[in-house]
Amino acid sequence: MGAGGSSRRGKAAVTTPAMAAVAGLNVKDLPTKPYEGQKTGTSGLRKKTKEFMQENYLANWVQSLFCALGDEIKGQSLGLGGDGRYFGKEAAQIIIKLAAGNGFKKVVVGQNALMATPAASALIRRRKLYGGLIMSASHNPGGPDNDFGIKFNYTGGEPAPERITDKIYGETTKVSVLHMADIPDVDLSKVGVTKFGDFEVEVVDPVEDYLATLQSVFDFPLLKSFLARRDFSLVFDAMHAVTGPYAKRILVEELGAPASCVKDGVPSPDFNGGHPDPNLTYAEELVKIMWADESPAFGAASDGDGDRNMILGHKFFVNPSDSVAIIAANAQSCIPYFKGGLKGVARSMPTSGALDRVAADLGVPFFETPTGWKFFGNLMDAGKCSVCGEESFGTGGDHIREKDGIFAVLSWLSIVAAKNKDVPEGGQLVTVQDVAVAHWKKYGRNFFSRYDYEECASADANKMVDHLRSVIAAAKPGDKFGDFTLATADDFEYTDPIDGSKASKQGLRFIFTDGSRIIFRLSGTGSSGATIRLYIEQYTSDPAKLMLDAQEALGPIIKVALEVSKLQEFTGRSSPTVIT
Ligand code: VG1
Ligand code: CO
């Protein structure tokens, strides 16, 4: 894939003490050559681990980032951590040497190179760091034969905006020198400070700052007394990924839940061979627990890096599009951080319109952004958004600038606790399902489903997209698609209301006169092939239909989507890999 390594290996490094912005360090200038394809997707650079492990592959990208940021990094502090996947510890050592060599004064790194994505955002904000690097490929499987990833979060703790990621990519195409400090590997297993001249590495407990942030959002004593009820129980599935230590500290040590409530809580470099994606397909063990006749009252799971969440009740799945709407509707009355009311709410375009109805009801501003968390940061910084979410199991608030799995769990626990405040122990507990159904009764229900067709051939997927573009170009309002009448069809484009930046080609949409929608996108987080995502939505306020099964309710519109896209014809796939 990239340039041959032999020429890189052949040349001797040049030592240039003058390069070091901090005193007492030797910096080596190592020659390197660009690799192709180091372009970041929806959330950072994600590739096969073996690709990342090629000589200088990671170093090239990190050096390119530092070049893109320029002089402003000199003398600053950088956060660092990851989801614990294979190659993370080695990657951390490379990044520390590059940070020192490029003029950072300090690196604050999670113990054992661990740090959940929301915790990294909290760390950057609380410690006023310049930014941070997160080593994660999120929900993608890990290990030598799977995926690795890296992304940069900026000063507010937010994923780097496109103006920066574009610049990094530009640098990766011409990077020729790595500025590496000549220092030994740092022991990341112990909390404490190691100094090299004026440069220092501080190893921190990866939970501490994040916990403090969450304590400023939620009423911990109230949650603790709720969890002490004998008629309430929960299970949290960390899926062998990074949230294990977080759940143990927060749910067990701080909130008093029994240790047994944390399932698969030890981070493993390959997630125990699993797919740390909290959905009904990949979190099947949790689903089994929650669908048993005697299940806990509340179930939740998080992904590889702790930013996604799935919320379950007894035999009940909370669709993430509903979850953000329900959290927004209850935030002011159930979560202390929001007691002054919401400044506004936002969702990604494919996420269902359930949140829109809450915004209208609350009379707060509402925003529809492209897929990916990076678009929410500007709205939050401008004080226009308090709660936001994506259909892809992402929910968050403006306490940080990342989606936040444990925030979603504590939000739901806060809502369930508040609804049960007058229910005596042993009485009829208000359940997760009761909360969702009450919401639908008030607002109506936006049936929503997503079909993922993973690892299709890229050429096939592109042909399907071209076909859809031509359908859209020819379509007119009033055209019939099955029983649905077209209102509009387009390729979603977003203009950031704060800085005016534009993002185009963000998803092909068919919007019908009754508000139903069909959306197609190609994933920007995969590491090989193409993943086609089909999103389907249909609204009902008919009380007789509220309790229908989503797949049943959406059957006719799904049929239209498959017909109009000729998906099976182009890809040969007769069924999706994952249905949400
Ligand atoms: C997916 C989701 C998107 C999410 C992104 C990163 O992107 O659809 O909503 O923001 O993953 O989440 P894509 O381009 O594959 O559809 V994570 O938890 O992977 O950082
Ligand atoms: Co994630």
Side-chain angles (χ1 to χ4, degrees):
M1 161 110 227
S6 54
S7 55
R8 271 193 293 272
R9 269 192 295 273
K11 288 189 197 162
V14 189
T15 304
T16 52
M19 252 309 298
V22 280
L25 274 188
N26 269 342
V27 175
K28 286 184 173 173
D29 283 351
L30 298 165
T32 190
K33 282 187 177 171
Y35 281 96
E36 275 171 32
Q38 291 197 315
K39 195 170 171 57
T40 50
T42 313
S43 180
L45 184 70
R46 292 185 193 174
K47 299 282 178 193
K48 289 288 169 212
T49 309
K50 285 195 175 127
E51 212 169 324
F52 258 108
M53 290 173 75
Q54 296 173 91
E55 187 182 29
N56 292 346
Y57 190 92
L58 170 80
N60 269 11
W61 189 85
V62 175
Q63 180 63 56
S64 300
L65 163 70
F66 293 160
C67 290
L69 297 168
D71 277 346
E72 64 176 65
I73 65 175
K74 306 275 186 250
Q76 301 278 4
S77 299
L78 181 74
L80 175 63
D83 60 14
R85 72 180 59 225
Y86 186 85
F87 187 54
K89 286 185 181 162
E90 295 83 345
Q93 300 292 350
I94 296 169
I95 292 167
I96 290 169
K97 294 183 177 81
L98 282 165
N102 280 275
F104 277 97
K105 163 182 109 250
K106 178 171 180 169
V107 173
V108 182
V109 54
Q111 191 174 12
N112 294 317
L114 286 179
M115 183 81 64
T117 290
S121 187
L123 181 87
I124 293 167
R125 294 173 73 77
R126 286 189 82 81
R127 297 191 176 222
K128 302 201 167 25
L129 305 181
Y130 168 80
L133 280 163
I134 302 172
M135 303 173 292
S136 167
S138 188
H139 54 289
N140 298 17
D145 296 321
N146 286 301
D147 293 0
F148 189 79
I150 185 153
K151 72 170 180 166
F152 174 67
N153 281 36
Y154 216 12
T155 311
E158 76 282 19
E162 291 200 324
R163 72 184 152 79
I164 294 186
T165 54
D166 289 348
K167 220 167 159 190
I168 302 168
Y169 178 60
E171 295 289 341
T172 66
T173 63
K174 54 183 191 211
V175 60
S176 61
V177 187
L178 304 172
H179 305 305
M180 285 259 199
D182 190 11
I183 54 174
D185 282 359
V186 180
D187 180 0
L188 301 180
S189 69
K190 286 188 216 67
V191 168
V193 175
T194 310
K195 290 193 182 227
F196 302 98
D198 285 347
F199 173 75
E200 67 178 49
V201 177
E202 182 180 357
V203 179
V204 297
D205 175 336
V207 187
E208 213 62 51
D209 287 83
Y210 178 60
L211 171 64
T213 295
L214 291 178
Q215 280 167 330
S216 72
V217 176
F218 297 100
D219 185 341
F220 269 54
L222 182 142
L223 288 173
K224 186 168 184 173
S225 69
F226 179 65
L227 292 187
R229 284 180 73 129
R230 272 163 305 176
D231 56 355
F232 184 82
S233 55
L234 83 163
V235 53
F236 178 87
D237 189 349
M239 302 189 82
H240 302 280
V242 78
T243 46
Y246 292 85
K248 283 180 189 163
R249 176 72 194 276
I250 295 165
L251 297 175
V252 178
E253 286 173 35
E254 297 292 328
L255 297 176
S260 59
C261 81
V262 182
K263 176 175 148 42
D264 298 336
V266 178
S268 129
D270 69 346
F271 310 115
N272 206 33
H275 201 138
D277 196 354
N279 59 39
L280 296 172
T281 303
Y282 294 124
E284 57 177 343
E285 289 175 15
L286 177 70
V287 169
K288 222 164 142 192
I289 292 171
M290 295 305 295
W291 259 257
D293 287 338
E294 296 289 318
S295 84
F298 185 94
S302 195
D303 71 332
D305 61 329
D307 56 356
R308 297 186 179 205
N309 74 92
M310 177 167 72
I311 303 292
L312 302 175
H314 173 56
K315 298 189 184 183
F316 188 80
F317 165 67
V318 182
N319 189 291
S321 293
D322 283 339
S323 180
V324 63
I326 293 169
I327 291 174
N330 291 285
Q332 185 168 14
S333 58
C334 304
I335 302 171
Y337 178 77
F338 300 116
K339 67 174 184 287
L342 302 183
K343 296 170 188 148
V345 296
R347 63 161 171 83
S348 65
M349 182 276 282
T351 305
S352 93
L355 183 64
D356 316 24
R357 293 172 190 278
V358 175
D361 182 47
L362 295 176
V364 299
F366 162 80
F367 302 89
E368 182 179 41
T369 60
T371 293
W373 211 259
K374 54 181 174 267
F375 298 98
F376 294 129
N378 273 355
L379 299 173
M380 291 180 164
D381 288 346
K384 292 179 183 297
C385 174
S386 303
V387 167
C388 58
E390 295 191 277
E391 46 63 42
S392 55
F393 298 85
T395 323
D398 66 346
H399 59 300
I400 55 170
R401 294 292 180 273
E402 281 282 1
K403 57 184 184 260
D404 187 343
I406 297 213
F407 163 84
V409 172
L410 297 186
S411 293
W412 267 92
L413 288 175
S414 301
I415 293 168
V416 176
K419 307 281 177 198
N420 283 291
K421 129 173 139 311
D422 299 324
V423 179
E425 207 168 297
Q428 190 65 41
L429 210 65
V430 177
T431 64
V432 169
Q433 174 165 355
D434 294 337
V435 172
V437 172
H439 187 89
W440 296 336
K441 284 191 176 143
K442 176 166 180 191
Y443 295 95
R445 179 171 175 192
N446 292 71
F447 286 103
F448 181 85
S449 186
R450 184 174 106 181
Y451 281 23
D452 293 324
Y453 299 82
E454 295 176 350
E455 299 203 24
C456 294
S458 295
D460 295 347
N462 290 333
K463 275 187 212 146
M464 189 197 79
V465 168
D466 289 345
H467 162 71
L468 281 165
R469 284 192 207 286
S470 66
V471 173
I472 287 175
K476 308 175 296 302
D479 284 358
K480 283 282 186 191
F481 289 74
D483 288 341
F484 299 87
T485 308
L486 191 72
T488 163
D490 65 3
D491 197 342
F492 182 61
E493 187 177 87
Y494 178 67
T495 304
D496 187 295
I498 313 304
D499 64 16
S501 60
K502 269 196 168 49
S504 52
K505 298 193 173 173
Q506 296 295 319
L508 300 166
R509 316 190 281 183
F510 296 81
I511 304 175
F512 301 104
T513 48
D514 66 349
S516 302
R517 299 191 302 164
I518 295 173
I519 296 153
F520 292 90
R521 270 185 74 244
L522 297 187
S523 158
T525 54
S527 62
S528 59
T531 292
I532 299 172
R533 302 204 198 284
L534 159 60
Y535 312 79
I536 316 106
E537 173 180 7
Q538 195 169 0
Y539 175 75
T540 185
S541 58
D542 180 351
K545 293 192 178 149
L546 289 181
M547 298 307 291
L548 282 181
D549 173 71
Q551 294 307 318
E552 202 181 306
L554 294 169
I557 192 168
I558 290 172
K559 194 161 161 268
V560 169
L562 295 176
E563 277 166 14
V564 68
S565 62
K566 300 191 177 161
L567 188 141
Q568 183 165 357
E569 206 170 298
F570 283 113
T571 64
R573 298 291 180 88
S574 55
S575 58
T577 328
V578 178
I579 296 183
T580 297

